[in-house]
Amino acid sequence: MRRPVAWVAAIVLFVEAIGIALLNWFLGVVVDRQDMSLAGLDSDMMSVSSKVGGLVFGLYFALCGVAALLVAVRDRAPGLFGRILLISAAVVHGLLGAFTVGLVGWGAFVFMMVALGLIVFTLLAFDRSAGPADAAPGDGAGGKDGNGGANGGANGNGGTGGSPVTAPPTPSAT
């Protein structure tokens, strides 16, 4: 379940990257074709700023999409840089969702919250502290014993320091 969600998150981030870049480019063209100023600002400067901002923001979302894509392909948690990118993308989606509900409407808000949910699920489903899936508790993997202590497992029985832990005998019904 977690790999398909990471794939969908990557696709959504790539679509958003293209959408944000095209939207800001379009707004830059609209401002460029007008001969008006806003509080004395040059329309050429506003046009170029909108286009550059759209490209930078689009590249940011594309980079976040690459991080989610790597999570989906590798089927493991992202590294530090990927985790920072995905956390920042989640924060950006939360803020954009709050802004879009008033400016654009509930449809855009729902889209932003779905994207936020996909990113957060991708981050939480691949937990870095879980370790390898094939390491059984008490076999010395990770240097911990079966009881959660840090004995190291030097004696071959998971590091319990003595005999291996066994379950108490069950009472027989006689």
Side-chain angles (χ1 to χ4, degrees), residues 33-149:
R33 291 188 180 168
Q34 293 181 356
D35 291 328
M36 298 172 17
S37 68
L38 179 68
L41 294 175
D42 185 22
S43 64
D44 290 333
M45 182 180 63
M46 289 189 299
S47 171
V48 171
S49 298
S50 176
K51 291 176 183 177
V52 170
L55 289 176
V56 168
F57 208 45
L59 287 174
Y60 164 72
F61 273 139
L63 193 59
C64 294
V66 168
L69 183 66
L70 288 174
V71 168
V73 169
R74 294 178 181 167
D75 194 23
R76 63 178 187 182
L80 179 65
F81 185 68
R83 184 170 288 276
I84 290 171
L85 274 175
L86 291 175
I87 289 171
S88 68
V91 170
V92 166
H93 278 84
L95 292 172
L96 285 177
F99 291 137
T100 58
V101 72
L103 296 174
V104 181
W106 287 102
F109 173 77
V110 168
F111 176 77
M112 286 295 158
M113 292 303 106
V114 167
L116 172 66
L118 289 170
I119 294 169
V120 170
F121 185 84
T122 301
L123 283 167
L124 295 179
F126 295 91
D127 189 17
R128 289 187 74 64
S129 64
D134 56 347
D139 67 351
K144 292 189 177 188
D145 61 8
N147 296 326

